[in-house]
Amino acid sequence: MATSLIQRGLIAITGTTGVGKSQLAIELARALNGEVINADALQVYKGYDIITNKVSSEEMLGVPHHLLGFVEPSREYTVQEFEQDALRKISEIHQRNRVPILVGGTNYYIQSVMFRKSLISTTSRDPGSTDTALPGVAGSREFEQQHSTRSDQDLWEELRAVDPVMAENWHANNRRKVLRSLEVLAATGRPHSEWIRESEAAREKEEVLRFPTLVFWLYADPPTLDKRLFERVDKMIERGMFDELSQLGRDLTDQTAFAGPSGDFSTGLKQAIGFREFGPYLAAKSASTTGEDLELLRQQGIEDMKLSTRRYAKRQIAWIRNKLLPECNGTLTKSVKARPYVLDATDLNTWDSLVKAQGVDIARQFIDDEQHLPNATTISEIAAKLLADAKEKPNSVLAWKRFHCPICSKTSEEARDGVAYEVWLNGQDEYNQHLQSRQHRKNRTYRKRQAERDTNYLGNTKSSSESENGD
């Protein structure tokens, strides 16, 4: 039994950024004769090791790592490429009679490997969207360039005419998703919504899981994690992050250094948190700005990077709860199962007992006899709560309702980088979680105070005008 499962099973480790996934992967690999496969969409690229938080050679402790730092930043690596590369690595590891351990925070990368006909997104900084992986359709830049002169509204009107179901899912300003749906139709001759409907039906009926899979969700409570994430940014600075940012400033002036158009931080390696956030600082530095003005931009970049990291962690948790766990739960009535376990990494002082030892013990039981694993809800109180809250299956993409948040949307005058953006949420669950988020509450307080200031200003102006007229 043990040999057969090693030759066909998979261990996957997910969780937020900064929670310790790489450390656990290495500990499991050393205990189980395993090899690690990177599932972070930005760590696949060469260079910028500090900003992308790659594990160092010393930290690997001799454990083989795959799909790490092997793609040139000058091209965009797609999730479809990752799926094929990772499946090939898993097969090779199985042939060596070793345990493949897939680890990373890009959850749609993990799902693309675990599930056939997986519903996945193609945007690593925005894991809130869902797409269907289709052969020959990779979200190509060529298709985007063909329509570069058309307005967002024009593209959306076309989508509404040819695929009204998907048009109802995407806002007209969400150019990338609208283009994606149009590209699916152009490449396959069938509407995007039909592919999604077929994929969801297959998920209900077929064995969509490729491997018996043990999934570890490494979790830390948000207040503790926030503190840890902010401290990690400070440590990145100590390790030399600003040297990498200096290199970034030079690379941004080279049109061939990165995939995607200049100034576009939504593609390839440029999606890394820190690139967009330090844009104003790098622009000022290249313009020979010095002194207090440059230091203010530097400090603002640090603050923005910390806040962006926290927001990304929240989106990662939302993805795991709303998409990955329900997908796993949907396999539990089938012959090939994905078994999720939550490991509590809140207190680093208890790491060895609550994370390392517990993880190794569960993994060994999985390899020896997956049919007699411990009840996942009995591992800890937080495991019981998180797993009890998970849905039995993911919501249908086609049943989504879009919600707009005017409080968190910003005009070009309000946005720090001068680029207006709107905040749209897909589905009631995502919207409800957004309303409870710290950033939304902060923006709501800001809007309230802004309205009070405007009211006071108008009142004072009116009083002044009446006084002048009285004179």
Side-chain angles (χ1 to χ4, degrees), residues 203-233:
R203 182 179 62 207
E204 292 290 331
K205 298 177 182 179
E206 300 174 10
E207 293 284 356
V208 294
L209 191 68
R210 285 190 169 103
F211 316 97
T213 306
L214 174 63
V215 179
F216 284 123
W217 176 8
L218 200 54
Y219 180 85
D221 74 74
T224 302
L225 180 66
D226 288 349
K227 183 174 183 294
R228 202 178 297 172
L229 293 177
F230 290 176
E231 290 174 348
R232 188 174 72 158
V233 173

Side-chain angles (χ1 to χ4, degrees), residues 108 120-132 134 137 139-141 143-144 152 155-160 162-163 165-185 191-193 196 266 271 315 319 323 397 400-403 422-427 430:
Y108 63 85
I120 53 176
S121 163
T122 56
T123 311
S124 62
R125 279 286 287 267
D126 178 20
S129 64
T130 301
D131 266 347
T132 306
L134 301 173
V137 184
S140 69
R141 291 291 155 199
F143 188 83
E144 292 184 21
D152 293 349
L155 290 167
W156 185 83
E157 292 287 353
E158 180 183 342
L159 180 62
R160 185 171 67 170
V162 298
D163 192 352
V165 174
M166 292 310 297
E168 283 302 307
N169 279 274
W170 308 142
H171 186 267
N173 292 347
N174 202 329
R175 186 181 185 89
R176 188 161 190 172
K177 293 175 186 175
V178 170
L179 277 170
R180 168 67 172 168
S181 293
L182 288 172
E183 184 186 12
V184 169
L185 176 62
H192 196 180
S193 57
I196 291 178
S266 66
Q271 296 173 92
R315 295 197 299 272
W319 181 288
K323 295 182 173 67
V397 180
W400 277 353
K401 178 181 178 182
R402 289 180 291 111
F403 294 87
E422 293 188 335
V423 175
W424 286 87
L425 295 309
N426 289 321
E430 189 173 311

Side-chain angles (χ1 to χ4, degrees), residues 18 51 56 148 180 184 237 245 278 292 408 420:
I51 292 178
S56 68
S148 60
R180 168 67 172 168
V184 169
I237 294 172
L245 288 172
F278 281 99
E292 184 177 342
C408 296

Side-chain angles (χ1 to χ4, degrees), residues 303 307 310 407 416 437-447:
E303 179 69 14
L307 294 178
R310 184 173 68 190
I407 290 175
R416 283 174 177 163
S437 68
R438 182 181 303 180
Q439 188 63 40
H440 176 80
R441 295 197 302 270
K442 179 179 177 182
N443 287 337
R444 186 176 59 197
T445 301
Y446 168 78
R447 296 289 186 193

Side-chain angles (χ1 to χ4, degrees), residues 311-331:
R311 286 194 292 269
Y312 180 52
K314 290 179 181 295
R315 295 197 299 272
Q316 288 175 305
I317 291 176
W319 181 288
I320 295 169
R321 297 182 69 164
N322 298 331
K323 295 182 173 67
L324 180 57
L325 283 186
E327 288 281 6
C328 291
N329 289 339
T331 71

